Amino acid sequence: MSGFSATLRREVLLASRSPADMVNPLFFFVVVVSLFPLAVPPTPGLLEAMAPGVVWVAALLAVMLSLDGLFRSDEEAGVLDQLLVAPVELYFTVLAKVLAHWLLTGLPLVLVAPLLGYMLQLPPEVLGSLMLGLLLGTPTLMFIGAIGAALTVALRRGSMLLALLVLPLYIPVLVFGAGSLGRALEGLPVSPVMAVLGAMLAMAMSLGPFAVALGLRISSGD
Amino acid sequence: MSSDAVSRAGLPAHFFVVSLSAGLLALVTWFIWSAPPVARTVWLAGGWTVGVLFYYGALRYPHWYWQTLERWYHQLGSPPHFYRIAGLWLPWLVIIATVLCVVGVVWGLAFAPPHHEQGNSYRIIYLHVPASSAALMAYVAMGVAGLVALVWRLKMAEIAIKAIAPFGAVMAAVSLISGAIWGRPTWGTYWIWDARLTSMLILFFMYLGVMALQNAIRDPRQAGRAAALLSVVGVINVVIVRYSVDWWQSLHQGSSMSMFGTAGSAIHPSMLAPLLLCMFGTYFLFAVTVLVRARTEILWRERKSAWVREEVA
């Protein structure tokens, strides 16, 4: 586990040296969501009906765009090759990296979500469901997307390809994530949907790093 | 899959064969159970006959089975051998595929009775259902090949993925387009966000993803392994997408209209027989396409080797 804590510490330290990388996805998320009220006719109730889809698609895109840099700087600096031959299990290194990435770029999305919900005229009683759904959903998106990031890390123009590979894999999370908020808006209990989101998170968090580690080994020409 | 590799993993060879076939039987049974009753009986009887025979043989003559498996593994895993064996099989496969497709299509379009509600417009089923089932089947095949490519690093499995992906993408596209054409007169719309339609669209996107990843990576071995990983992840995703979209449907609207009156109702044998012929014909078409593409790919990859020079000269 020494690899895990060391990687976690390293990632947080690196991020604290360049705070802009943390802020950009958050900024993207806020800007994209605030575009919708400008583009949609001001029919009462329309924004509220669209809100689950808008917030979740924006969060999903923010996560996806932030993923391109997940392994790229390490790859360019040669750190990735070091990690591959390091005497610690790559699984834990990857787990730590993705978790740190979520703490620095995913968690801010969750924290700013109530503000955006307020902007989209959501009733205050569903903001809890919105946050809980994003809290369970965004790390799942990170772990799934990390597989694509690992496979495209060595490619010149990998970000477009990353989108093509990862977006179809995001659909289940999107369906249940937006569904949880939709149910909350209809006044239905959200716990079953949250349970499914939690199950997806458990699966992505436990199996994802295996696939990511394999993808990194493939990308490094192993 | 060499026996020492399996025993290194601490598994006796028989256990491997038996568990693999048992898993396959269970999976196939589960799939067949959702088919219409007549087809279900045919499939189940055939599948279990083959399965029981295989079991009996595997338990009665384990060594012979194991040696055969190992011989296949070595021969089909080596490109020159595969090239030769595929070349021997191809003419027969082409004949079978042609006969099945021609007989099935002519029977379905000209001799099967018209549908009592849809008249003749239902006849697109003879294109639509085989294409849909082949698109799904091809992705599962790609996933299995991907697993083999990742675990045993077989070059042939990587070539198989490269050969399967375009076929699957085309089949998914044919399924979507023919479904839209069929949907217009029957449902009154080219497209609805129904679970099956949505899943097929996602499947099409995932085929494109595999092909794009394969084309983006210069080194063929690396491209093959990357595509293999994506195929395996994709198979898991296809299953989850199907159920999640179903769930989303049930939340947002009532179930969509089904094809033949009530959902899961029987399709009459006079319509089913040509449909089964068309389906099997499409599976053989799959085999032909994949073998031809794989042979071409082998020639290209081994273009500097002596045996290819002899073959081409």
Side-chain angles (χ1 to χ4, degrees), chain A residues 161 165 168 171 176 211 218-219, chain B residues 202 209 212 222 225 229 237 240 244:
Chain A
L161 185 63
L165 303 187
I171 283 160
F176 283 94
I218 291 170
S219 282
Chain B
I202 306 305
Q222 198 181 326
R225 286 172 54 72
L229 179 61
N237 190 53
I240 299 181
S244 62

Side-chain angles (χ1 to χ4, degrees), chain A residues 30-49:
Chain A
V30 174
V31 169
V32 167
V33 170
S34 46
L35 287 181
F36 276 90
L38 305 174
V40 172
T43 319
L46 186 60
L47 262 185
E48 186 190 311

Side-chain angles (χ1 to χ4, degrees), chain A residues 147 151-152 154-155 161 164-165 168-169 171-172 175-176 179-180 183 188 193 200 203 211 214-215 218-222, chain B residues 150 153 202 205-206 208-210 212-213 216-217 222 225-226 229-230 233-234 236-237 240-241 243-245 247-248 251:
Chain A
I147 301 171
L151 284 174
T152 55
L155 302 177
L161 185 63
L164 188 61
L165 303 187
L169 303 178
I171 283 160
V175 166
F176 283 94
S180 69
R183 278 177 79 99
L188 298 167
V193 192
M200 286 182 180
M203 194 171 154
L214 192 55
I218 291 170
S219 282
S220 70
D222 174 31
Chain B
L150 289 177
R153 302 199 170 206
I202 306 305
F205 289 157
M206 281 171 30
L208 292 188
V210 169
L213 184 64
I217 302 175
Q222 198 181 326
R225 286 172 54 72
L229 179 61
L230 190 64
V233 173
I236 300 168
N237 190 53
I240 299 181
V241 162
Y243 286 103
S244 62
V245 181
W247 176 88
W248 172 74
L251 181 78

Side-chain angles (χ1 to χ4, degrees), chain B residues 4 19 43 53 65 70 95 120 125 143-144 165 191 270 278 280:
Chain B
D4 49 323
S19 62
W43 281 95
L53 280 175
Y65 262 72
E70 233 179 317
I95 291 168
N120 283 326
I125 197 175
V144 172
W191 182 262
S270 60
C278 285
F280 280 113

Side-chain angles (χ1 to χ4, degrees), chain A residues 71-137:
Chain A
F71 300 114
R72 195 167 297 281
S73 54
D74 283 358
E75 205 266 340
E76 284 165 356
V79 178
L80 203 53
D81 297 335
Q82 295 294 324
L83 287 179
L84 292 182
V85 296
V88 287
E89 193 55 54
L90 190 56
Y91 178 93
F92 289 115
T93 320
V94 167
L95 189 68
K97 257 192 94 72
V98 179
L99 278 179
H101 189 71
W102 178 77
L103 282 175
L104 299 164
T105 60
L107 192 57
L109 302 186
V110 180
L111 296 176
V112 82
L115 180 67
L116 296 177
Y118 196 76
M119 270 167 48
L120 294 171
Q121 299 162 5
L122 288 177
E125 56 269 22
V126 304
L127 296 182
S129 311
L130 171 65
M131 282 183 82
L132 183 60
L134 284 172
L135 188 70
L136 293 169

